[in-house]
């Protein structure tokens, strides 16, 4: 188990334009050769967009991009013609395939906070794919077979427990609240990288929300 604290994330974005970003892995000008990826995970970015702010059209390729909205609403448009508004509780995935361009904006009146995770595909290329699962349930893992990974969402009440999947590698991100996992006390924005462990569980101190990536050996 390796714990990474929220305060250790690399700051980025354009604060003057209403964009604040916090990166768990090397990203853009923030390069750390010892922190390029974990398993399939290439990036785990916390993004904060003020009303009216956003990312203008930009390209992606050979990446599985999964987005979880914490608060507010995210407007998405891409070059394949998809346009949607993603709300808290929805899982959005853009499989970039051989190449796609998209726009992400906060067109609403309230601040927008979302967590965006980039995963490396097992095989690069292919056609872009887009989907949104509205109101995903805790008991329904979200499968990203292109990256050999499963996303588990866990919303816990005080003293409730969530089992950590027994897998080759697991990445845990605390969205909100406080939990204890393997003896480590974790708060919002903290993450844990787990390899070769089993029979772990997270115990919530109060209301909490977790994202857990279960990854097969690569």
């Amino acid at each position: 188990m390796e714990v990474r604290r929220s305060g250790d994330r690399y700051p980025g974005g354009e604060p003057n334009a209403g964009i604040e970003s916090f990166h768990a892995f090397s990203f853009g000008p923030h390069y750390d050769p010892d922190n390029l990826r974990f398993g399939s995970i290439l990036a785990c970015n916390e993004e904060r967009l003020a009303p009216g702010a956003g990312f203008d059209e930009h390209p992606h390729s050979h990446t599985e991009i999964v987005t979880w909205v914490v608060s507010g609403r995210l407007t998405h448009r891409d070059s394949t013609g998809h346009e949607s508004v993603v709300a808290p509780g929805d899982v959005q995935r853009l499989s970039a395939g051989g190449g796609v361009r998209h726009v992400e904006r906060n067109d609403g009146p309230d601040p927008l906070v979302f967590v965006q995770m980039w995963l490396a595909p097992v095989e690069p290329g292919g056609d872009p794919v887009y989907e949104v699962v509205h109101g995903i349930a805790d008991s329904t893992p979200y499968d990203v077979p292109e990256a050999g990974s499963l996303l588990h969402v866990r919303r816990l009440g005080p003293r409730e427990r969530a089992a950590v999947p027994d897998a080759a590698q697991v990445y845990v991100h605390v969205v909100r609240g406080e939990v204890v996992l393997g003896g480590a006390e974790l708060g919002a924005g903290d993450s844990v990288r787990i390899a070769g462990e089993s029979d772990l569980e997270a115990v919530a101190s109060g209301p909490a929300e977790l994202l857990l990536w279960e990854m097969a050996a690569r």
Side-chain angles (χ1 to χ4, degrees):
M1 275 182 51
E2 181 184 359
V3 175
R4 298 275 182 137
R5 299 297 179 184
S6 175
D8 296 331
R9 289 174 171 262
Y10 309 121
E14 298 179 62
N16 292 336
I19 302 172
E20 290 186 283
S21 303
F22 300 93
H23 307 292
F25 295 85
S26 291
F27 199 93
H30 302 287
Y31 177 72
D32 178 352
D34 296 323
N35 190 27
L36 298 177
R37 66 186 291 174
F38 177 73
S40 301
I41 307 289
L42 302 172
C44 180
N45 304 332
E46 293 183 356
E47 306 286 0
R48 301 174 181 270
L49 302 183
F55 299 100
D56 294 332
E57 187 174 84
H58 57 280
H60 290 283
S61 62
H62 315 303
T63 312
E64 301 295 316
I65 303 170
V66 179
T67 304
W68 179 258
V69 173
V70 180
S71 60
R73 292 178 179 271
L74 171 65
T75 297
H76 166 96
R77 296 188 295 274
D78 66 43
S79 56
T80 62
H82 296 104
E83 182 170 351
S84 59
V85 177
V86 187
D90 301 342
V91 172
Q92 173 187 261
R93 178 172 67 96
L94 176 62
S95 179
V100 69
R101 301 180 68 86
H102 75 153
V103 174
E104 298 164 294
R105 296 195 56 81
N106 179 7
D107 291 332
D110 302 314
L112 166 66
V113 179
F114 62 94
V115 179
Q116 188 168 91
M117 297 148 288
W118 298 7
L119 290 82
V122 175
E123 297 290 341
D127 295 328
V129 176
Y130 178 81
E131 69 175 354
V132 178
V133 177
H134 295 287
I136 193 166
D138 286 14
S139 58
T140 306
Y142 182 73
D143 190 11
V144 185
E146 294 84 354
S149 303
L150 281 171
L151 174 63
H152 303 266
V153 178
R154 293 290 182 265
R155 306 173 185 92
L156 304 175
R159 296 179 295 282
E160 287 188 340
R161 300 169 180 266
V164 175
D166 291 340
Q169 293 171 307
V170 179
Y171 184 83
V172 181
H173 175 82
V174 182
V175 177
R176 66 179 98 232
E178 297 179 347
V179 300
V180 176
L181 195 164
E185 297 181 359
L186 308 172
D190 292 346
S191 62
V192 186
R193 306 174 190 193
I194 302 169
E197 297 284 348
S198 60
D199 301 322
L200 292 174
E201 62 179 8
V203 183
S205 304
E209 186 172 275
L210 309 176
L211 302 176
L212 303 94
W213 280 103
E214 176 183 353
M215 296 173 281
R218 295 286 287 271

